[in-house]
Amino acid sequence: MLYDNRLKQAIGEGREVFGVLASIPAAASIELIGEAGFDFVVIDTEHVMINPETVEHMIRTAERYRLTPLVRVPDGDPKRMLRLLDAGAQGIVLPQVEDAATVRDAVSACKYAPEGRRSLNAGRPGSFGRTSLADYVGHANDTVMVVAMIETERGVTNIEAIAAEPGLDLVLEGAADLSQSLGVSWQTNHPHVQAALAHAASVSLAHGVAWCTFLRHDGDGPRWRARGVTTFMLGDERGIAFRALMQARRQAQTSLAGADPAAGHPDQENS
């Protein structure tokens, strides 16, 4: 069945929520994210090779944790979006959005009539027809989110028209690609990048569309919160795991370097 979209509800109520990208193609990745207490997850099919069955298992696992599952697609192919929504995705994340027409087409592909042209199907989100499909259609239109990523200079330039497009629920920043577009690759904290993000966020919020930012640098959270942002991403689970592993290794090396070899291992006393 299609659960209520807890992310959409939280945004509407102005509550802070935290999400992470899932780039490891395994349901176990979603279990870790869910157990860690995140509110939503963005399953990445833009940069990662994940087969359709695995994506569905990842969505199913997110449902188990009441973790809102969004899926980032590689492009605006309506058939791909249809299959992901029929698998139970509660939202589609569109990369590299640069104009209102892209959002308009995505909304049409994600919503059933009269709001869109999504093909009807009595699959798993509709409980395979166990309950009224007429009721399901309305629930799906209220539940499914359309998220636009602003990742280029052109996207920032057209943010007014993009944010004004009906059916857009959330704008997610893509500072890494935006830095490249602005000629300062990987300098996500560069003044030009930050100014572009601040402008796009201001316009989005003025149109009543929530803004989601990545927390990359110290002090990012309070600064964005002061601007009215309540939706945050903490990167992808691969990077988080990598940094945690590096830190664990460094701590072990530091501990061993400071140990007294003559003291022996504490367990040796009881052996």
Side-chain angles (χ1 to χ4, degrees):
M1 64 173 293
L2 186 64
Y3 292 96
D4 291 338
N5 191 320
R6 300 178 73 182
L7 170 61
K8 192 170 184 178
Q9 291 174 348
I11 290 173
E13 296 168 5
R15 291 187 280 115
E16 285 187 353
V17 284
F18 298 89
V20 67
L21 272 167
S23 301
I24 299 173
S29 170
I30 307 299
E31 288 181 316
L32 290 170
I33 294 166
E35 292 287 2
F38 282 90
D39 301 288
F40 68 100
V41 62
V42 179
I43 299 168
D44 190 11
T45 66
E46 180 191 15
H47 290 286
V48 181
M49 298 289 287
I50 306 181
N51 68 52
E53 291 82 4
T54 299
V55 173
E56 185 168 280
H57 288 321
M58 294 170 78
I59 291 171
R60 187 177 287 114
T61 305
E63 293 170 346
R64 155 72 174 79
Y65 286 95
R66 301 307 305 275
L67 184 69
T68 300
L70 311 178
V71 180
R72 179 163 71 173
V73 293
D75 53 47
D77 180 359
K79 294 296 186 183
R80 180 181 288 111
M81 287 187 269
L82 171 66
R83 288 190 290 270
L84 290 168
L85 294 173
D86 284 349
Q90 290 190 306
I92 297 294
V93 179
L94 296 159
Q96 304 278 334
V97 173
E98 296 186 323
D99 52 52
T102 300
V103 176
R104 192 178 311 124
D105 290 343
V107 171
S108 181
C110 292
K111 303 289 186 179
Y112 292 115
E115 298 176 39
R117 52 183 172 79
R118 177 181 168 186
S119 176
L120 291 165
N121 180 268
R124 63 181 306 270
S127 301
F128 304 103
R130 178 175 61 86
T131 57
S132 167
L133 289 178
D135 291 341
Y136 159 71
V137 165
H139 179 53
N141 279 355
D142 290 339
T143 298
V144 170
M145 298 177 69
V146 175
V147 183
M149 290 195 72
I150 298 299
E151 304 183 84
T152 65
E153 185 176 13
R154 184 165 178 253
V156 173
T157 299
N158 292 331
I159 187 61
E160 189 80 44
I162 291 169
E165 192 62 38
L168 180 64
D169 297 288
L170 180 67
V171 176
L172 172 60
E173 59 100 328
D177 277 346
L178 179 58
S179 70
Q180 178 172 257
S181 178
L182 294 173
V184 289
S185 295
W186 283 115
Q187 299 178 55
T188 57
N189 215 22
H190 191 281
H192 292 170
V193 177
Q194 290 300 311
L197 293 176
H199 168 69
S202 176
V203 172
S204 295
L205 293 170
H207 280 278
V209 179
W211 177 269
C212 180
T213 189
F214 283 87
L215 299 181
R216 299 181 178 87
H217 311 285
D218 290 341
D220 277 357
R223 178 163 49 87
W224 282 107
R225 181 192 287 163
R227 293 170 175 163
V229 175
T230 59
T231 310
F232 303 101
M233 290 282 288
L234 273 63
D236 76 53
E237 92 282 56
R238 295 177 305 181
I240 294 170
F242 172 74
R243 289 188 292 273
L245 289 167
M246 289 283 288
Q247 179 64 18
R249 180 180 61 81
R250 282 194 292 264
Q251 288 178 343
Q253 289 176 319
T254 300
S255 175
L256 289 169
D260 181 1
H265 193 281
D267 289 342
Q268 292 176 351
E269 297 179 3
N270 298 320
S271 62

